[in-house]
Amino acid sequence: MVVHDLNKFIKGWFIGPFLPTLDPNTAFECAVKKYVAGDYEAKHYHRVATEYTVIATGRVRMNGVEYGPDSIVEIRPGMATDFEALTDVITFVVKTPAVIGDKYLGEV
């Protein structure tokens, strides 16, 4: 068994075509992301990738809608969203396919 430290990866992204990574996979990217209450990410979208965000702990607001533990938010290509941590939050995120640079600020 090999054990890795999530804190050694950038913003929780540990699988995907970037460095550092455990697997330079181009089929998908994976991250465990940790936020503190009040953290905010501006509205953005992907042209190619679908993003699945699992709310593991805490409460978030995305596009004005609140989500809590066990919610899985699917964001398809061309759908824009922002992200606000209403409490301390841990998410698990999968993006597929993994496309470097496929993040655009604002609305489509």
Side-chain angles (χ1 to χ4, degrees), residues 15-50:
I15 293 178
F18 39 74
L19 293 174
T21 187
L22 296 178
D23 179 349
N25 203 310
T26 58
F28 60 90
E29 303 173 14
C30 293
V32 174
K33 301 183 68 78
K34 299 176 184 179
Y35 300 91
V36 297
D39 281 353
Y40 180 78
E41 292 185 5
K43 188 163 279 205
H44 71 280
Y45 65 96
H46 306 283
R47 291 183 180 159
V48 178
T50 297

